[in-house]
Amino acid sequence: IWVPEKRKDYGASFAALCDAYFKRVSWEPVSDIDRRTAGILSAFLLARIDGKSPVEYITAESDKAFVRATAREFLTKTDWTLAELSRVWQEKLDHR
């Protein structure tokens, strides 16, 4: 949302971060931490719009409404992975 022309680059960076992190996970099944983290990230999205420390660079109400609606939808998807979350986020941004 913040720099729309970099959307694909941010998505690629997110995928690379997840891949690198998950390669090091040895204390539990990757699928468990992946799904749990997707849920936590969904909550963080909402918190960074309406929480005690909102991001200062998302100022347009339409952008805030998009993040709120998307985060709430994501919070209902308790079995999603980070890759699924990222894919749907990108699709939603593409169709805004």
Side-chain angles (χ1 to χ4, degrees), residues 16-30 33:
L17 173 69
C18 292
D19 183 54
Y21 184 80
F22 290 147
K23 284 181 181 176
R24 299 295 221 167
V25 171
S26 61
W27 55 91
E28 67 181 293
V30 168
I33 196 167

Side-chain angles (χ1 to χ4, degrees), residues 4-15 90:
E5 63 274 10
K6 295 292 185 182
R7 186 168 58 228
K8 300 297 181 192
D9 294 332
Y10 291 145
S13 294
F14 181 79
Q90 291 289 336

Side-chain angles (χ1 to χ4, degrees), residues 6-92:
K6 295 292 185 182
R7 186 168 58 228
K8 300 297 181 192
D9 294 332
Y10 291 145
S13 294
F14 181 79
L17 173 69
C18 292
D19 183 54
Y21 184 80
F22 290 147
K23 284 181 181 176
R24 299 295 221 167
V25 171
S26 61
W27 55 91
E28 67 181 293
V30 168
S31 61
D32 290 354
I33 196 167
D34 188 4
R35 284 173 173 35
R36 188 171 62 252
T37 305
I40 293 168
L41 180 57
S42 300
F44 284 164
L45 285 169
L46 192 55
R48 293 297 283 162
I49 296 298
D50 292 321
K52 288 187 176 189
S53 181
V55 295
E56 66 281 351
Y57 49 85
I58 297 177
T59 57
E61 192 53 44
S62 61
D63 291 340
K64 290 179 182 183
F66 172 82
V67 174
R68 284 182 190 111
T70 304
R72 286 183 184 122
E73 177 185 339
F74 287 171
L75 285 168
T76 69
K77 310 296 185 188
T78 59
D79 62 340
W80 275 16
T81 64
L82 287 167
E84 289 168 316
L85 190 141
S86 179
R87 178 186 55 77
V88 172
W89 178 262
Q90 291 289 336
E91 287 173 0
K92 287 182 172 291

